[in-house]
Amino acid sequence: MKRFGLIGKPLSHSFSQKWFTEKFQHEGLKAHRYDPFELDAIEEFPQLISSTKGLVGLNVTVPYKQTVIPFLDAVDPMALAVGAVNTIHIVNGRTTGYNTDVLGFRSTLLPLLNGKKPRALVLGSGGASRAVAFVLRDLGIKFRVVGRTREKGDLTWDLLDPILIAVSPLIINATPLGMFPDVDTFPPLPYASLGEKHVVIDLVYNPEETLFLKKARLQGAITANGVHMLHTQAEASWGIWNAK
Ligand code: NAP
């Protein structure tokens, strides 16, 4: 049996378990299974690795994408540069960390840019925000991170005034605001300043259109949700686990 799974806490609504379980069924991979492994603390990680026979691959979600790094035997240079790991490959008990959120976000963003390099605002400063920042830096796009405190971002939320929104044609939500079950929440922005020149991306994938995206769409902005990123990062994890 080849085993795969997801570490994080809490894991009540795991997309990954459903997605991989269906994939194994569709592809007739009977000796494969994907389980949620809820860890109360990241210090439980070494025990999970040593005690789970047949474990080949893990995904990592909130709140362990950063804190898992010191527990790994090796980390891919890109994941190290991002500062967050969302995929772990286990070979003969040796663990290596990767980041496939980068690929997922890049493939969501590129088709929307039309070769342009618009100034960007990244809402939130957690693990996903780090992957977004890595991609923007790599593409030479100037951006500022919005955090709840000055230590966490370049800007705090109260500074998002109409002028700043008007001169930031690319806005990315990397917070969980609007995510199921809190579908009535949304990032506090002066939405009236959004217009047809804006590209607005939400990393949230459930619901498919958050209030953030709806408000942006009604102002004429081009919008994209996190569904494509979600599928792309999962496929990329699968590729890593099957690499020779
Ligand atoms: P995370 O590491 O917990 O970071 C969340 C960020 O959002 C933090 O900066 C946090 O601020 C901020 N935040 C949380 N609640 C907030 C609120 N009420 N007001 C303002 N800021 C708030 O989570 P993550 O892994 O980066 O994930 C963020 C979102 O992206 C989630 O919805 C996740 O589902 C989504 N995501 C999607 C994909 C995909 O493939 N589509 C991949 C990764 C993540 P503090 O630090 O101050 O708490």
Side-chain angles (χ1 to χ4, degrees):
M1 176 69 73
K2 280 192 175 183
R3 297 196 62 183
F4 303 85
L6 174 68
I7 61 167
K9 185 190 173 183
L11 295 179
S12 47
H13 294 98
S14 163
F15 154 83
S16 304
Q17 184 185 15
K18 188 169 175 288
W19 194 84
F20 280 107
T21 302
E22 283 174 9
K23 181 182 179 71
F24 298 158
Q25 277 165 6
H26 287 149
E27 297 186 11
L29 298 170
K30 290 202 177 109
H32 289 57
R33 61 176 287 176
Y34 191 104
D35 296 294
F37 297 109
E38 192 165 305
L39 303 183
D40 283 330
I42 195 59
E43 286 72 21
E44 295 173 9
F45 177 75
Q47 170 70 15
L48 174 75
I49 299 296
S50 59
S51 66
T52 314
K53 216 171 149 242
L55 194 59
V56 174
L58 289 170
N59 289 120
V60 186
T61 189
V62 177
Y64 300 134
K65 284 186 183 182
Q66 283 127 284
T67 52
V68 75
I69 291 177
F71 290 89
L72 299 170
D73 296 312
V75 181
D76 172 69
M78 190 175 74
L80 209 53
V82 174
V85 158
N86 77 327
T87 301
I88 299 170
H89 191 197
I90 303 126
V91 180
N92 299 327
R94 190 180 147 81
T95 54
T96 304
Y98 298 87
N99 189 306
T100 66
D101 284 339
V102 166
L103 187 73
F105 179 66
R106 195 184 176 91
S107 69
T108 300
L109 176 65
L110 277 182
L112 301 172
L113 289 181
N114 292 324
K116 293 188 187 144
K117 294 185 180 182
R119 278 182 182 268
L121 286 175
V122 182
L123 313 178
S125 57
S129 168
R130 282 169 175 258
V132 168
F134 180 89
V135 172
L136 296 179
R137 218 174 280 122
D138 194 46
L139 294 173
I141 292 175
K142 293 199 172 99
F143 66 94
R144 291 201 268 181
V145 173
V146 182
R148 284 202 270 201
T149 62
R150 189 65 184 78
E151 295 73 44
K152 288 184 177 175
D154 307 312
L155 296 170
T156 46
W157 290 89
D158 53 305
L159 297 175
L160 297 183
D161 61 17
I163 294 174
L164 188 58
I165 296 301
V167 298
S168 307
L170 176 60
I171 304 181
I172 300 133
N173 177 37
T175 78
L177 286 164
M179 187 169 72
F180 179 85
D182 300 316
V183 294
D184 294 335
T185 62
F186 53 87
L189 304 183
Y191 285 90
S193 301
L194 290 172
E196 287 172 4
K197 291 196 175 134
H198 280 87
V199 172
V200 174
I201 302 175
D202 202 336
L203 302 196
V204 172
Y205 48 85
N206 180 15
E208 288 196 9
E209 187 179 62
T210 56
L211 273 183
F212 171 64
L213 289 189
K214 184 176 179 188
K215 285 168 178 285
R217 177 174 57 79
L218 292 176
Q219 291 296 128
I222 293 167
T223 63
N225 64 21
V227 171
H228 176 76
M229 175 170 170
L230 189 68
H231 293 168
T232 307
Q233 61 81 25
E235 273 300 351
S237 295
W238 180 240
I240 286 169
W241 298 332
N242 286 289
K244 291 261 157 51

